[in-house]
Amino acid sequence: MNDGRDRLRIAVQKSGRLSEASLDLLRRAGLAFRASRDKLFLYGENLPVDVLLVRDDDIPGLLVEGSCELGIVGRNVLDEQRLAGGAAPAPAALIDLGFGHCRLALAVPDGGPIGTIADLAGLRIATSYPALLADWLRAQRIDAEVVLLNGSVEIAPRLGKAHAICDLVSSGATLAANQLHELATVMHSEAVLVASPRPRGAAASQLVERLGARIAGALSGAGARLLMLQAPRTALPAITRLLPSREAPSVLGLDGRPDDVAMQALCNASLDWQHLEELKRLGARGVMVLNVERMLA
Ligand code: PRT
Ligand code: ZN
């Protein structure tokens, strides 16, 4: 809704590790889309919000220039570009989204001479994240050479291009397959919802805020359970202590049964059968657990 647009744009990775989870989250936030013929665009059918499908590396730039108001991108990409971009106004991360978890890690060849990070002094380290690595090396006061590689970083040591690498790791299988092991973690990352730093009109700001609240609601609803039960009033303190509760439970009176109450409590996903059996032992009846689909704080 910069440059005269009357629809909001959200930038999402077109095809990669974050694509499916990003679109799934937007759907859970209540957005319905129709794909454009060129598949570069998803047209929002129930709100004036469209999705732009792009390479993840392009997302911070689109936000900074104001071509999109929101984006979903790995914190690793965001922070790398923020550090590399110097004075450019950085997009603001709004919410951690709970998917795309990985870490940017330093790894070295198995059985080699590098045992601690101090051993990296004077050596070459290959990475696709030169700004994050340089920043970490500075903080650790290690003087090493950063070699930029844009793919297949894990084979750099075998090719003699570098002594160590700094790359994203999730399961660790790629490192193991290349006879490498982790020496240190440079950063932890996950997908984040990011907003453009460009000033927006009132309508766009309102819509950004509304979507942010819906996405936060979809995230906090995930895994939430509503527990309902009836119990003797005297059992309430013991029952409340037992619950993996997110907030204070609501307690209601029951018609014609002054000694009993009905209770509702929002709990997290750890509420299991053992909890229910324990509740029953404490005097609870009619115990019911419902999945929470949406929540608006
Ligand atoms: O085409 P485009 O530029 O959009 O995609 P891309 O190839 O740059 O990105 P993509 O889809 O690979 O990753 C997108 C984002 O997912 C990253 O920026 C991270 O925020 C996040 N992510 C989570 C990961 C991983 N896990 C991950 N394991 N990104 C990459 N990897 C790679 C890693 O680089 C290594 O090659 O997977 C390999 C290691 O995996 P493990 O499981 O063997 O450790
Ligand atoms: Zn990329």
Side-chain angles (χ1 to χ4, degrees):
M1 303 212 192
N2 289 308
D3 55 49
R5 270 185 293 121
D6 59 355
R7 297 177 64 84
L8 207 74
R9 279 193 198 143
I10 306 181
V12 163
Q13 190 186 23
K14 180 171 164 45
S15 86
R17 286 185 160 83
L18 304 182
S19 308
E20 217 179 288
S22 302
L23 292 178
D24 179 59
L25 179 64
L26 295 178
R27 285 193 196 100
R28 283 193 286 132
L31 301 177
F33 304 108
R34 172 162 47 80
S36 68
R37 210 168 300 153
D38 56 12
K39 304 268 169 63
L40 298 176
F41 210 68
L42 299 177
Y43 183 80
E45 290 182 310
N46 56 351
L47 277 179
V49 179
D50 300 324
V51 174
L52 209 57
L53 299 169
V54 295
R55 289 201 56 188
D56 66 346
D57 317 74
D58 294 337
I59 293 176
L62 288 167
L63 292 164
V64 167
E65 69 191 34
S67 306
C68 291
E69 283 73 27
L70 288 170
I72 295 180
V73 68
R75 193 178 280 281
N76 50 302
V77 171
L78 188 68
D79 286 1
E80 173 68 22
Q81 295 197 16
R82 179 156 47 200
L83 283 173
L94 288 181
I95 313 177
D96 291 337
L97 297 176
F99 60 86
H101 284 284
C102 58
R103 54 195 180 275
L104 185 63
L106 263 160
V108 297
D110 294 343
I114 308 170
T116 67
I117 57 172
D119 298 336
L120 294 167
L123 301 184
R124 283 195 307 276
I125 311 173
T127 189
S128 311
Y129 294 89
L132 282 168
L133 174 58
D135 189 58
W136 183 84
L137 288 169
R138 249 191 320 273
Q140 304 293 327
R141 299 176 188 281
I142 295 168
D143 192 12
E145 188 188 339
V146 176
V147 181
L148 173 65
L149 280 187
N150 278 320
S152 308
V153 172
E154 65 278 1
I155 60 173
R158 248 182 302 150
L159 298 179
K161 286 190 183 172
H163 303 95
I165 68 165
C166 175
D167 199 9
L168 298 177
V169 179
S170 47
S171 69
T174 303
L175 291 184
N178 287 282
Q179 291 92 49
L180 299 164
H181 62 272
E182 284 180 69
L183 196 62
T185 301
V186 171
M187 79 175 288
H188 287 277
S189 181
E190 68 184 277
V192 288
L193 179 71
V194 195
S196 169
R198 284 290 186 104
R200 293 174 288 262
S205 298
Q206 239 172 32
L207 199 48
V208 164
E209 217 166 279
R210 194 166 147 206
L211 284 177
R214 280 199 188 186
I215 289 172
L219 290 172
S220 60
R225 309 273 185 273
L226 183 68
L227 172 76
M228 299 169 75
L229 55 80
Q230 295 188 3
R233 198 178 284 277
T234 50
L236 264 187
I239 286 178
T240 308
R241 268 197 302 278
L242 186 75
L243 296 179
S245 200
R246 296 185 173 208
E247 52 194 48
S250 327
V251 177
L252 309 164
L254 288 170
D255 251 1
R257 284 165 50 195
D259 296 337
D260 290 339
V261 289
M263 192 182 105
Q264 283 186 5
L266 200 58
C267 296
N268 59 40
S270 69
L271 184 70
D272 55 16
W273 279 108
Q274 219 173 327
H275 280 113
L276 304 198
E277 287 159 3
E278 192 68 24
L279 289 170
K280 209 167 164 201
R281 253 195 303 279
L282 292 171
R285 288 181 308 273
V287 182
M288 205 160 30
V289 179
L290 308 174
N291 281 331
V292 175
E293 199 170 298
R294 294 193 184 97
M295 230 157 55
L296 204 53

